[in-house]
Amino acid sequence: MTRETGRGRGSATPRSVDVARLAGVSQKTVSRVFNDEPYVSADVRRRVLEAAEQLGYRLNNAARALASGRTRSIGVVTLGTALYGPASLLMGVERVVRDTGYALRVVNTMEGDPAGLAGAVDSLLDQGVDGIVISEPIDEEGVDGQSSLRLDVPVLVLGAPSPVTAPTVLTAGDGADLMARTATEHLLALGHVTVHHLAGPQRWYAARDRLKGWRATLADHDREIPPVAEGDWSAGSGYRAGRALAENGDVTAVFAANDDMAIGLIRALTEAGRRVPEDVSVVGFDDIPVAAYVTPPLTTVRQPFDTVAQEGLKRLVHTIENPDAEPLPPSAPPVDLIVRTSTAPPPSRTPPARGRRTASRPRGGTHRPSLPNGGPSPRS
Amino acid sequence: MTRETGRGRGSATPRSVDVARLAGVSQKTVSRVFNDEPYVSADVRRRVLEAAEQLGYRLNNAARALASGRTRSIGVVTLGTALYGPASLLMGVERVVRDTGYALRVVNTMEGDPAGLAGAVDSLLDQGVDGIVISEPIDEEGVDGQSSLRLDVPVLVLGAPSPVTAPTVLTAGDGADLMARTATEHLLALGHVTVHHLAGPQRWYAARDRLKGWRATLADHDREIPPVAEGDWSAGSGYRAGRALAENGDVTAVFAANDDMAIGLIRALTEAGRRVPEDVSVVGFDDIPVAAYVTPPLTTVRQPFDTVAQEGLKRLVHTIENPDAEPLPPSAPPVDLIVRTSTAPPPSRTPPARGRRTASRPRGGTHRPSLPNGGPSPRS
DNA sequence: GTGAAAGCGCTAACAC
DNA sequence: GTGTTAGCGCTTTCAC
């Protein structure tokens, strides 16, 4: 049986028997060495390693997976966008996965994908994975109702309640509502009577959580809850929402569900002659890399992507390796509000503390961008 | 031999023999059906499919890989950043890989990673992949010299010359210098005497290519080649470079190697009282999502990430599946300059065509941001 | 501490 | 068109 897979005379890919022969041990012993099993004498171990090195041997992963029933890989379902949030999360996941000795398989769910999440998970299951990470799932109408996707490997859901049924379902990074509260509180503390919200697409759990946090905060303070504008995360949608908001003279503070929309929003406000932050304060969400350098530097909530990924995966791997043990408890990620210069007390009102700021000028008049003294402060 | 892998009475994971038994055919026939092999009667095929469905059968990928010697998966080495370019490329790659029926394995090379590219590739090889995509590699000093990383699966390198030796090495998306030329030409055509360059980190091939294209263009036009500022892709580094450039009154046009740096740069210029584009024109690179909404909307070069990924992978898959055939020829990706409002003719000079623009005003004076009529144009 | 034997679930070659 | 026979390169069990 001549296989294409390089069965040429000397250049064949070596197998563990070859290493065993060269080292003068049994094949099983080679296996022991490569699996770091105990009960191998130091001397034998060294000889095996040398032989392996000499032959250029590497363990065959497929054979290993077949024999052991474990693939040592984790699959992640992403949204297939280069949006800062999802992309950062994915990179965080990769880092941890590799550190824990697993391989990473990646599959997208494009929005509008007919198969959607179910298709993505299925493809992962076909490939063979020991655990699955679902990053920032969106709510897929219809699909949800009929079959709540049932699978038999542990699952970690990032940034949302779980849309699946599995033996173990872990969640992490679902603290968005708390962060939204912090953002809203910040605006309220500056003296704004109420805060408007430019929400993300409500199919995203992440967007819903932020909205929920915002609304709860206003309710807690007995403030009026203004109608919500909904964008699609893009700066363009923020811009369009901003044009509408600019016409409403009552708007003095807006909490945008991400930085891109905040930037579009600010542009629309500025074009309409509403100064930021003198007339209108804006808070973003994410702390994208350019947030500190746009005009004006954006006050925003930094998401702890790395922490979330790390903590979530630690728990997932623990569950994979100790299927019968209690899952590790979750821990709350830190909330990190970065105050820059896109927020200020509302016009012509006495702020709660310190001295008062510029009074408002006629709308649509000449204006210049607010240039903070000393330049932007990239980190806090 | 009781395996943990669910060998419980009825709920055991079914194997192809089980399907065969139920369908009343041989195990090999089941295999045929699942591999879409010819010579299976429609009737048998249907019976097999039904039996499989009933049992909830799914092909075991590990066994398949072991028996066939092919893993049907492609590995990609990324940089582990959420930077727009690399992230977009990765998403593009995922999309195509899945479309072609392969699975995707992802590994990062963190900058500063001791193992670096070699380690990443090695890990992919351990996992077993039929081909490797190296996305935007950076030049790893030292490593390069001694061992030019030799591997025996076909490789596709995105956005750089190949740092590895393999039976087949394909490249795609290495047209950055052409795009840089277009950006530079644009500025020259507006009437600028010369163009400064804010380069990316020179360890990145992508950064070098852009620099090369810029320099070549100036040389072609017999223009003075100003000293190069080097950033690290971040808005912060652009800001720092911008502070220095702002002090040089001769600077009227800058080509930044990415949009983030361009945004930082613009901020620094603006703070220093140099208006963009009236005093200084700035061109970015990438066309990040917010580029159209920053102030002023950024003229930039759009990178065709999807096209590059798609075209490159088509060629890679072709090579994997037809190892002996000629590799498919590369095709040049389109160059897409998006002109917005961060570029204009230089101050107090007659532009080559059309009417003249605003004369320069005293530096450091009052100024307002350039607000384009009708708002930003997100696409072209 | 080490080895022998028996699969893991599939695909490859060839016979029918 | 379909079945038979051998493995693919490991891990597992159990004997020594």
Side-chain angles (χ1 to χ4, degrees):
Chain A
M1 177 192 268
T2 310
R3 230 168 250 298
E4 304 85 287
T5 318
R7 186 98 313 153
R9 274 315 80 81
S11 68
T13 359
R15 297 154 298 154
S16 59
V17 237
D18 301 323
V19 177
R21 209 163 10 230
L22 183 60
V25 298
S26 81
Q27 185 267 332
K28 171 64 212 181
T29 298
V30 175
S31 170
R32 285 207 177 85
V33 170
F34 276 86
N35 285 296
D36 274 322
E37 282 173 31
Y39 305 126
V40 192
S41 71
D43 177 54
V44 169
R45 165 165 269 119
R46 191 186 43 68
R47 262 161 48 213
V48 168
L49 255 17
E50 272 174 18
E53 162 78 6
Q54 182 180 332
L55 259 29
Y57 171 73
R58 62 191 345 146
L59 245 161
N60 179 321
N61 199 48
R64 190 144 102 131
L66 177 56
S68 70
R70 294 186 44 205
T71 63
R72 284 149 229 260
S73 69
I74 288 179
V76 50
V77 179
T78 63
L79 250 10
T81 77
L83 286 176
Y84 184 70
S88 302
L89 220 34
L90 178 58
M91 290 302 128
V93 167
E94 194 286 338
R95 210 160 310 160
V96 192
V97 167
R98 197 171 166 202
D99 281 353
T100 54
Y102 281 74
L104 218 221
R105 291 176 168 279
V106 177
V107 165
N108 281 349
T109 336
M110 270 77 64
E111 279 206 68
D113 187 341
L117 180 62
V121 168
D122 224 59
S123 138
L124 245 21
L125 257 19
D126 274 351
Q127 295 173 33
V129 289
D130 295 341
I132 290 183
V133 179
I134 301 178
S135 178
E136 301 251 9
I138 61 181
D139 189 7
E140 301 177 308
E141 55 240 42
V143 176
D144 233 18
Q146 35 184 323
S147 72
S148 184
L149 201 49
R150 170 168 265 107
L151 53 175
D152 54 358
V153 293
V155 170
L156 168 68
V157 184
L158 257 25
S162 175
V164 300
T165 309
T168 311
V169 177
L170 274 13
T171 60
D174 46 353
D177 60 341
L178 185 58
M179 300 188 200
R181 294 184 91 103
T182 308
T184 313
E185 293 280 6
H186 166 66
L187 259 4
L188 255 24
L190 284 169
H192 294 272
V193 175
T194 191
V195 174
H196 285 249
H197 183 43
L198 171 45
Q202 292 298 299
R203 301 177 60 209
W204 292 56
Y205 291 102
R208 290 188 202 169
D209 279 353
R210 292 168 208 186
L211 181 119
K212 217 177 296 171
W214 160 78
R215 181 173 283 147
T217 309
L218 292 185
D220 286 354
H221 289 260
D222 284 326
R223 302 306 170 87
E224 179 209 346
I225 298 181
V228 175
E230 181 175 331
D232 63 6
W233 296 132
S234 76
S237 70
Y239 180 81
R240 287 186 291 278
R243 270 163 107 146
L245 287 171
E247 290 180 1
N248 178 350
D250 292 342
V251 177
T252 68
V254 184
F255 163 46
N258 80 343
D259 288 346
D260 280 24
M261 291 198 296
I263 288 169
L265 169 70
I266 289 175
R267 171 145 205 97
L269 292 171
T270 309
E271 285 183 13
R274 306 267 279 153
R275 297 161 309 159
V276 177
E278 291 84 350
D279 300 324
V280 182
S281 286
V282 175
V283 176
F285 204 98
D286 276 352
D287 194 25
I288 62 173
V290 298
Y293 296 92
V294 293
T295 302
L298 204 56
T299 292
T300 188
V301 180
R302 173 141 64 221
Q303 294 220 67
F305 298 112
D306 274 21
T307 316
V308 166
Q310 193 160 353
E311 200 245 325
L313 271 149
K314 198 166 28 180
R315 295 196 291 131
L316 179 62
V317 169
H318 172 89
T319 302
I320 291 173
E321 298 183 343
N322 312 59
D324 301 319
E326 275 298 287
L328 260 28
S331 68
V335 176
D336 210 355
L337 179 73
I338 315 289
V339 180
R340 298 206 181 91
T341 43
S342 65
T343 50
S348 52
R349 267 183 68 90
T350 310
R354 283 165 287 211
R356 63 186 62 188
R357 296 273 285 244
T358 341
S360 70
R361 296 193 216 150
R363 289 214 266 129
T366 324
H367 58 277
R368 48 198 300 281
S370 128
L371 295 181
N373 30 13
S377 46
R379 295 265 126 174
S380 172
Chain B
M1 176 193 268
T2 310
R3 233 169 248 298
E4 303 86 288
T5 319
R7 183 100 314 152
R9 272 318 79 79
S11 68
T13 359
R15 297 154 295 156
S16 58
V17 237
D18 302 323
V19 177
R21 208 159 15 229
L22 183 61
V25 297
S26 81
Q27 186 268 331
K28 172 64 209 179
T29 298
V30 175
S31 169
R32 284 207 179 87
V33 171
F34 276 85
N35 286 294
D36 275 322
E37 282 174 31
Y39 305 126
V40 194
S41 71
D43 177 53
V44 169
R45 163 165 272 120
R46 190 186 43 67
R47 262 161 48 215
V48 168
L49 255 17
E50 272 174 19
E53 163 78 5
Q54 182 180 331
L55 259 28
Y57 170 73
R58 61 189 348 142
L59 247 163
N60 179 319
N61 198 48
R64 190 145 100 132
L66 177 56
S68 69
R70 295 186 43 205
T71 63
R72 281 152 231 259
S73 69
I74 288 179
V76 51
V77 180
T78 64
L79 251 7
T81 77
L83 285 176
Y84 184 70
S88 301
L89 221 32
L90 178 58
M91 290 302 127
V93 167
E94 194 287 337
R95 208 159 309 161
V96 192
V97 167
R98 197 168 165 205
D99 281 354
T100 54
Y102 281 74
L104 218 218
R105 291 175 168 280
V106 177
V107 164
N108 280 349
T109 335
M110 269 77 63
E111 278 207 68
D113 187 342
L117 180 62
V121 167
D122 223 58
S123 138
L124 245 20
L125 258 18
D126 273 351
Q127 296 172 33
V129 289
D130 295 342
I132 290 184
V133 179
I134 300 178
S135 177
E136 301 250 9
I138 61 180
D139 189 6
E140 302 177 307
E141 56 241 40
V143 175
D144 232 18
Q146 36 185 322
S147 73
S148 183
L149 202 48
R150 170 169 265 107
L151 54 176
D152 54 359
V153 294
V155 170
L156 168 68
V157 184
L158 258 25
S162 176
V164 300
T165 309
T168 312
V169 178
L170 273 14
T171 61
D174 47 351
D177 59 341
L178 185 57
M179 301 188 200
R181 293 185 90 105
T182 308
T184 312
E185 292 279 7
H186 166 65
L187 259 4
L188 254 23
L190 283 168
H192 295 272
V193 175
T194 191
V195 175
H196 285 249
H197 183 43
L198 170 45
Q202 292 297 299
R203 301 177 61 209
W204 292 55
Y205 291 103
R208 291 187 202 169
D209 278 353
R210 292 168 208 186
L211 181 121
K212 217 177 297 171
W214 160 79
R215 180 172 284 148
T217 310
L218 292 185
D220 286 354
H221 289 260
D222 284 325
R223 302 304 170 87
E224 179 210 346
I225 297 181
V228 174
E230 182 175 330
D232 63 7
W233 297 131
S234 77
S237 70
Y239 180 80
R240 288 186 291 280
R243 270 162 110 144
L245 287 172
E247 290 179 1
N248 178 352
D250 292 342
V251 176
T252 67
V254 184
F255 163 47
N258 81 342
D259 288 346
D260 281 23
M261 293 197 296
I263 289 169
L265 169 71
I266 288 174
R267 170 144 206 97
L269 292 171
T270 311
E271 285 182 12
R274 306 266 280 154
R275 297 161 309 159
V276 176
E278 290 84 352
D279 300 323
V280 182
S281 287
V282 175
V283 176
F285 205 98
D286 276 352
D287 195 24
I288 63 174
V290 298
Y293 295 92
V294 294
T295 302
L298 203 57
T299 292
T300 188
V301 180
R302 172 139 68 222
Q303 293 221 68
F305 297 112
D306 275 22
T307 315
V308 167
Q310 193 159 353
E311 200 245 323
L313 271 148
K314 198 165 29 177
R315 295 195 292 133
L316 180 63
V317 169
H318 172 88
T319 303
I320 291 174
E321 299 184 342
N322 311 61
D324 301 320
E326 275 298 287
L328 260 28
S331 67
V335 176
D336 212 354
L337 178 73
I338 316 289
V339 179
R340 298 206 181 90
T341 43
S342 65
T343 48
S348 52
R349 267 183 69 89
T350 310
R354 284 166 287 213
R356 64 187 63 190
R357 294 274 283 246
T358 340
S360 70
R361 295 193 215 150
R363 287 214 266 131
T366 324
H367 58 278
R368 50 197 301 279
S370 130
L371 295 179
N373 30 14
S377 46
R379 296 262 127 177
S380 170

mmCIF file of all heavy atoms in Angstrom, chain B residues 55-70:
data_model
loop_
_atom_site.group_PDB
_atom_site.id
_atom_site.type_symbol
_atom_site.label_atom_id
_atom_site.label_comp_id
_atom_site.label_asym_id
_atom_site.label_seq_id
_atom_site.Cartn_x
_atom_site.Cartn_y
_atom_site.Cartn_z
ATOM 1 N N LEU B 55 -29.699 7.432 13.406
ATOM 2 C CA LEU B 55 -28.740 7.130 14.464
ATOM 3 C C LEU B 55 -28.021 8.380 14.978
ATOM 4 O O LEU B 55 -27.349 8.353 16.007
ATOM 5 C CB LEU B 55 -27.707 6.146 13.927
ATOM 6 C CG LEU B 55 -27.825 4.662 14.278
ATOM 7 C CD1 LEU B 55 -29.277 4.276 14.526
ATOM 8 C CD2 LEU B 55 -27.235 3.829 13.153
ATOM 9 N N GLY B 56 -28.138 9.452 14.224
ATOM 10 C CA GLY B 56 -27.390 10.648 14.591
ATOM 11 C C GLY B 56 -25.907 10.460 14.317
ATOM 12 O O GLY B 56 -25.050 10.932 15.052
ATOM 13 N N TYR B 57 -25.647 9.762 13.223
ATOM 14 C CA TYR B 57 -24.251 9.450 12.907
ATOM 15 C C TYR B 57 -23.498 10.657 12.363
ATOM 16 O O TYR B 57 -24.042 11.457 11.623
ATOM 17 C CB TYR B 57 -24.203 8.342 11.862
ATOM 18 C CG TYR B 57 -22.840 8.111 11.281
ATOM 19 C CD1 TYR B 57 -21.845 7.496 12.029
ATOM 20 C CD2 TYR B 57 -22.533 8.547 9.999
ATOM 21 C CE1 TYR B 57 -20.582 7.300 11.506
ATOM 22 C CE2 TYR B 57 -21.275 8.342 9.459
ATOM 23 C CZ TYR B 57 -20.301 7.731 10.223
ATOM 24 O OH TYR B 57 -19.051 7.542 9.699
ATOM 25 N N ARG B 58 -22.247 10.793 12.775
ATOM 26 C CA ARG B 58 -21.372 11.761 12.101
ATOM 27 C C ARG B 58 -19.989 11.153 11.944
ATOM 28 O O ARG B 58 -19.483 10.475 12.826
ATOM 29 C CB ARG B 58 -21.341 13.120 12.801
ATOM 30 C CG ARG B 58 -20.843 13.138 14.199
ATOM 31 C CD ARG B 58 -21.026 14.485 14.918
ATOM 32 N NE ARG B 58 -21.400 15.603 14.097
ATOM 33 C CZ ARG B 58 -22.253 16.547 14.473
ATOM 34 N NH1 ARG B 58 -22.821 16.495 15.670
ATOM 35 N NH2 ARG B 58 -22.522 17.544 13.691
ATOM 36 N N LEU B 59 -19.418 11.416 10.762
ATOM 37 C CA LEU B 59 -18.105 10.894 10.424
ATOM 38 C C LEU B 59 -17.082 11.248 11.494
ATOM 39 O O LEU B 59 -17.045 12.368 11.972
ATOM 40 C CB LEU B 59 -17.666 11.550 9.116
ATOM 41 C CG LEU B 59 -17.543 10.650 7.912
ATOM 42 C CD1 LEU B 59 -17.514 11.488 6.645
ATOM 43 C CD2 LEU B 59 -16.265 9.862 8.025
ATOM 44 N N ASN B 60 -16.259 10.320 11.843
ATOM 45 C CA ASN B 60 -15.184 10.615 12.789
ATOM 46 C C ASN B 60 -13.970 11.138 12.033
ATOM 47 O O ASN B 60 -13.328 10.432 11.260
ATOM 48 C CB ASN B 60 -14.811 9.360 13.563
ATOM 49 C CG ASN B 60 -13.683 9.618 14.525
ATOM 50 O OD1 ASN B 60 -12.738 10.310 14.199
ATOM 51 N ND2 ASN B 60 -13.796 9.064 15.715
ATOM 52 N N ASN B 61 -13.713 12.385 12.319
ATOM 53 C CA ASN B 61 -12.697 13.078 11.558
ATOM 54 C C ASN B 61 -11.284 12.556 11.816
ATOM 55 O O ASN B 61 -10.456 12.511 10.925
ATOM 56 C CB ASN B 61 -12.769 14.566 11.896
ATOM 57 C CG ASN B 61 -12.082 15.396 10.878
ATOM 58 O OD1 ASN B 61 -12.293 15.216 9.692
ATOM 59 N ND2 ASN B 61 -11.224 16.289 11.340
ATOM 60 N N ALA B 62 -11.035 12.170 13.045
ATOM 61 C CA ALA B 62 -9.699 11.674 13.391
ATOM 62 C C ALA B 62 -9.407 10.384 12.630
ATOM 63 O O ALA B 62 -8.339 10.213 12.043
ATOM 64 C CB ALA B 62 -9.593 11.435 14.882
ATOM 65 N N ALA B 63 -10.380 9.513 12.607
ATOM 66 C CA ALA B 63 -10.192 8.243 11.902
ATOM 67 C C ALA B 63 -9.988 8.488 10.420
ATOM 68 O O ALA B 63 -9.136 7.870 9.773
ATOM 69 C CB ALA B 63 -11.409 7.354 12.113
ATOM 70 N N ARG B 64 -10.750 9.408 9.933
ATOM 71 C CA ARG B 64 -10.652 9.743 8.531
ATOM 72 C C ARG B 64 -9.269 10.289 8.184
ATOM 73 O O ARG B 64 -8.645 9.879 7.202
ATOM 74 C CB ARG B 64 -11.702 10.806 8.216
ATOM 75 C CG ARG B 64 -11.865 11.065 6.774
ATOM 76 C CD ARG B 64 -13.293 11.363 6.485
ATOM 77 N NE ARG B 64 -13.527 12.778 6.365
ATOM 78 C CZ ARG B 64 -14.229 13.266 5.336
ATOM 79 N NH1 ARG B 64 -14.685 12.467 4.404
ATOM 80 N NH2 ARG B 64 -14.461 14.525 5.279
ATOM 81 N N ALA B 65 -8.813 11.180 9.026
ATOM 82 C CA ALA B 65 -7.505 11.772 8.780
ATOM 83 C C ALA B 65 -6.418 10.707 8.863
ATOM 84 O O ALA B 65 -5.496 10.674 8.054
ATOM 85 C CB ALA B 65 -7.232 12.876 9.800
ATOM 86 N N LEU B 66 -6.563 9.843 9.843
ATOM 87 C CA LEU B 66 -5.548 8.806 10.013
ATOM 88 C C LEU B 66 -5.492 7.893 8.798
ATOM 89 O O LEU B 66 -4.425 7.583 8.272
ATOM 90 C CB LEU B 66 -5.869 7.980 11.268
ATOM 91 C CG LEU B 66 -4.920 6.816 11.534
ATOM 92 C CD1 LEU B 66 -3.479 7.321 11.613
ATOM 93 C CD2 LEU B 66 -5.314 6.102 12.813
ATOM 94 N N ALA B 67 -6.656 7.485 8.348
ATOM 95 C CA ALA B 67 -6.699 6.547 7.234
ATOM 96 C C ALA B 67 -6.304 7.177 5.914
ATOM 97 O O ALA B 67 -5.676 6.551 5.079
ATOM 98 C CB ALA B 67 -8.094 5.947 7.131
ATOM 99 N N SER B 68 -6.669 8.418 5.734
ATOM 100 C CA SER B 68 -6.439 9.017 4.425
ATOM 101 C C SER B 68 -5.148 9.812 4.325
ATOM 102 O O SER B 68 -4.683 10.119 3.243
ATOM 103 C CB SER B 68 -7.606 9.943 4.070
ATOM 104 O OG SER B 68 -7.580 11.072 4.910
ATOM 105 N N GLY B 69 -4.594 10.163 5.471
ATOM 106 C CA GLY B 69 -3.374 10.955 5.429
ATOM 107 C C GLY B 69 -3.635 12.424 5.159
ATOM 108 O O GLY B 69 -2.721 13.217 5.038
ATOM 109 N N ARG B 70 -4.902 12.777 5.050
ATOM 110 C CA ARG B 70 -5.224 14.184 4.832
ATOM 111 C C ARG B 70 -6.104 14.678 5.966
ATOM 112 O O ARG B 70 -7.038 14.003 6.377
ATOM 113 C CB ARG B 70 -5.986 14.361 3.517
ATOM 114 C CG ARG B 70 -5.153 14.013 2.293
ATOM 115 C CD ARG B 70 -5.928 14.362 1.039
ATOM 116 N NE ARG B 70 -6.577 15.657 1.192
ATOM 117 C CZ ARG B 70 -7.666 16.018 0.528
ATOM 118 N NH1 ARG B 70 -8.243 15.178 -0.309
ATOM 119 N NH2 ARG B 70 -8.197 17.201 0.716
#
